[in-house]
Amino acid sequence: MTPVMHDLAVLGGGPAGAVSAWLAARDGLRTVLIDPCMTVPRIEGLSPRLHLWLSRQGLLAGFDKLVGPLPRISHWGETIETVNREWLVDRAELDAHLRQAAVAAGARLHQATGRVADRGDGTVTLSLSDGAQLTARRVFDARGRKAHAGRGAVLRGPATVSICGWVEGSADATPSVSILPFEHGWLWVAAIGPGRVWVQFLGDADAPGTPTDRLLDALCHVAGFSGRVFGDLVVRDSAPVLMPPVEDLSVLPIGDAAAAGDPLSGHGQFWAVSGALAATAARKNLATRPGAESEALARRFLAERSREVFLRQARVGRDFIRLMTRFREYPFWERRWDFPDDEPLHAATDEFRTDRAVVVCDGVLEERQILRTPASPSGVAWFGRIPAVDAWEAFRSGMPVEDMVARWGEAARKLPEFIERERAGPVPDDEEPIR
């Protein structure tokens, strides 16, 4: 029997892998999603912008396991901030739901782990843990940090461990999320209901003590906890890691497999899904515009995006670290004070200027002019569906709004508002849409 040739095989069924498989199946590709379906149950936060995108795509339909949105109380620096919100979700339940959405769209789910065994001319062979072999024209590697084995990192942050588990909380606690720093790291505390509190401790990987002892020590710094831990702990590597740029476009790493971000940035799941969208745009570009030029464009786009995402998350984490001046001399904080560099989060600009970049246009890649602004120094390609550079030039020339409407439609009435917003300076991360 001739082996089935898949158009796309996706290794890993977390948010990055499941969304990639869902997108490919919707496009009519013969898609296989390979995952053992054994996600370790753990509570994580879902940002408002990712929640909005998933909702708009219909990917949360029938999913009733979200708690929130809850206030996030950040005891950071010298103040207590309560402006942000997030949803709480069990990753095992979310992953299973997204995998089923991919299956409903037409993807085939193969319950196993897998690895790339061979690469030929336009073909990739995968060996699976159940003894099977599969072939595909392209592979998305969404296995997270497991995909780093045998690949040297371009940049790696201080060795960091995440220790998570259920602890006993107050019987009258209301659902909320808290961020609590102390001398040896920081805690993300999610109170889900009476007596149910999930705690994630982030600290140095090489610090002494068992995981249980370290978590209990961290809890001693938080009022209202008895120190009683329930069930098994989840211990994971959480160091930020940037992997090398893609050379072989037949296997594209996405999510943490390409760039594992700093947990302090708070956008892990968002960037995983955003990475799936980026890889999908590269996939479509390679399929519809085959050739060396398209391949070069895809490599450039994916490399620049991974580096930009990684550095942004790492610098967000660094800037949060630097707010904790009272812990400056403690090893955990000292090691992270200057990582990844001393560069600002964004190159400061007080003016509008044009540049060129690779962007996603109608689902594929193209190099085009973008507009760099005080609010979006990394660049914006469109205001809605209106080319940003064209809009700026029309606005700067004094074109009447009615003429803009005649050119671009009713959406152009908001162009003066968009321009003023871009002039005002950077917006908080949670106000940015998923792209």
Side-chain angles (χ1 to χ4, degrees), residues 402-416:
E402 291 303 325
D403 289 354
M404 296 184 192
V405 171
R407 182 176 178 183
W408 292 303
E410 283 298 317
R413 292 194 188 279
K414 293 188 176 181
L415 280 180

Side-chain angles (χ1 to χ4, degrees), residues 11 44 64 122 132 134 171 178 183 187 203 205 223 243 270 277 294 304 307 315 317 331 351 357 365 371 383 400:
L11 289 171
E44 292 188 1
D64 60 358
L134 298 178
S178 299
E183 292 91 334
L187 292 163
M243 300 308 291
F270 170 83
L277 297 176
S294 179
E304 289 178 354
R307 181 173 176 82
R315 288 168 181 161
E351 60 183 17
L365 306 179
L371 184 67
F383 294 132

Side-chain angles (χ1 to χ4, degrees), residues 12-232:
V19 169
S20 293
W22 175 73
L23 290 165
R26 285 204 318 169
D27 287 342
L29 272 61
R30 179 170 288 177
T31 305
V32 58
L33 176 60
I34 302 162
D35 190 86
C37 301
M38 297 175 63
T39 305
V40 177
R42 60 184 185 273
I43 302 301
E44 292 188 1
L46 201 68
S47 70
R49 53 182 175 169
L50 178 54
H51 180 272
L52 178 63
W53 186 85
L54 291 172
S55 297
R56 286 179 172 175
Q57 301 302 314
L59 284 171
L60 294 181
F63 187 68
D64 60 358
K65 304 296 184 180
L66 288 169
V67 177
L70 302 180
R72 186 167 65 205
I73 306 166
S74 178
H75 298 255
W76 208 272
E78 303 303 321
T79 61
I80 299 177
E81 298 287 347
T82 59
V83 296
N84 291 320
R85 298 287 186 271
E86 61 187 311
W87 279 258
L88 299 180
V89 64
D90 187 316
R91 266 293 302 275
E93 293 176 338
L94 178 63
D95 288 2
H97 177 77
L98 293 177
R99 287 193 295 266
Q100 288 307 308
V103 170
R108 180 168 71 90
L109 178 62
H110 192 119
Q111 289 189 225
T113 58
R115 62 178 181 83
V116 175
D118 191 26
R119 309 184 197 202
D121 185 13
T123 302
V124 182
T125 302
L126 301 174
S127 290
L128 307 187
S129 58
D130 59 5
Q133 281 200 332
L134 298 178
T135 57
R137 293 184 175 88
R138 196 175 311 281
V139 172
F140 282 3
D141 191 344
R143 293 176 296 161
R145 294 169 184 272
K146 298 183 183 69
H148 296 178
R151 301 169 62 209
V154 172
L155 193 60
R156 184 183 298 273
T160 306
V161 67
S162 168
I163 304 172
C164 313
W166 290 104
V167 301
E168 185 177 30
S170 171
D172 58 356
T174 57
S176 66
V177 178
S178 299
I179 308 293
L180 303 161
F182 69 107
E183 292 91 334
H184 308 302
W186 57 275
L187 292 163
W188 182 77
V189 181
I192 294 183
R196 298 187 65 212
V197 179
W198 178 265
V199 176
Q200 174 177 279
F201 162 63
L202 269 290
D204 281 323
D206 59 356
T210 66
T212 300
D213 289 341
R214 296 190 65 190
L215 184 59
L216 289 174
D217 178 68
L219 288 172
C220 287
H221 293 79
V222 183
F225 289 97
S226 68
R228 185 180 175 191
V229 178
F230 297 97
D232 296 331

Side-chain angles (χ1 to χ4, degrees), residues 122-422:
T123 302
V124 182
T125 302
L126 301 174
S127 290
L128 307 187
S129 58
D130 59 5
Q133 281 200 332
L134 298 178
T135 57
R137 293 184 175 88
R138 196 175 311 281
V139 172
F140 282 3
D141 191 344
R143 293 176 296 161
R145 294 169 184 272
K146 298 183 183 69
H148 296 178
R151 301 169 62 209
V154 172
L155 193 60
R156 184 183 298 273
T160 306
V161 67
S162 168
I163 304 172
C164 313
W166 290 104
V167 301
E168 185 177 30
S170 171
D172 58 356
T174 57
S176 66
V177 178
S178 299
I179 308 293
L180 303 161
F182 69 107
E183 292 91 334
H184 308 302
W186 57 275
L187 292 163
W188 182 77
V189 181
I192 294 183
R196 298 187 65 212
V197 179
W198 178 265
V199 176
Q200 174 177 279
F201 162 63
L202 269 290
D204 281 323
D206 59 356
T210 66
T212 300
D213 289 341
R214 296 190 65 190
L215 184 59
L216 289 174
D217 178 68
L219 288 172
C220 287
H221 293 79
V222 183
F225 289 97
S226 68
R228 185 180 175 191
V229 178
F230 297 97
D232 296 331
L233 298 181
V234 179
V235 181
R236 306 170 66 232
D237 173 18
S238 294
V241 183
L242 176 63
M243 300 308 291
V246 172
E247 290 297 332
D248 182 358
L249 294 173
S250 65
V251 181
L252 299 182
I254 60 175
D256 280 359
D262 189 316
L264 258 182
S265 70
H267 298 297
Q269 290 192 62
F270 170 83
W271 287 116
V273 172
S274 182
L277 297 176
T280 296
R283 165 179 66 75
K284 290 183 176 180
N285 200 75
L286 293 167
T288 59
R289 303 172 180 174
E293 184 176 344
S294 179
E295 292 176 3
L297 203 65
R299 289 190 183 93
R300 177 182 162 194
F301 172 71
L302 293 171
E304 289 178 354
R305 186 189 179 283
S306 288
R307 181 173 176 82
E308 178 182 316
V309 167
F310 177 85
L311 289 177
R312 177 179 175 80
Q313 292 188 86
R315 288 168 181 161
V316 167
R318 176 207 62 198
D319 290 348
F320 275 116
I321 290 289
R322 289 180 174 181
L323 291 175
M324 299 307 303
T325 54
R326 69 181 183 272
F327 296 146
R328 175 71 169 86
E329 303 303 320
Y330 287 90
F332 174 86
W333 303 91
E334 175 68 24
R335 291 169 182 167
R336 292 158 179 79
W337 204 262
D338 295 315
F339 180 83
D341 50 34
D342 204 32
E343 297 295 319
L345 179 60
H346 288 302
T349 180
D350 57 1
E351 60 183 17
F352 290 72
R353 63 184 179 88
T354 61
D355 204 347
R356 295 193 68 81
V358 182
V359 300
V360 181
C361 181
D362 294 328
V364 294
L365 306 179
E366 68 174 46
E367 185 178 29
R368 64 177 299 146
Q369 281 192 310
I370 62 170
L371 184 67
R372 299 193 189 275
T373 75
S376 303
S378 58
V380 57
W382 291 273
F383 294 132
R385 292 186 173 275
I386 304 171
V389 171
D390 293 350
W392 165 241
E393 290 177 348
F395 181 85
R396 184 174 57 175
S397 71
M399 179 184 288
V401 171
E402 291 303 325
D403 289 354
M404 296 184 192
V405 171
R407 182 176 178 183
W408 292 303
E410 283 298 317
R413 292 194 188 279
K414 293 188 176 181
L415 280 180
E417 176 187 335
F418 291 155
I419 294 295
E420 289 308 311
R421 185 187 306 166
E422 291 298 315

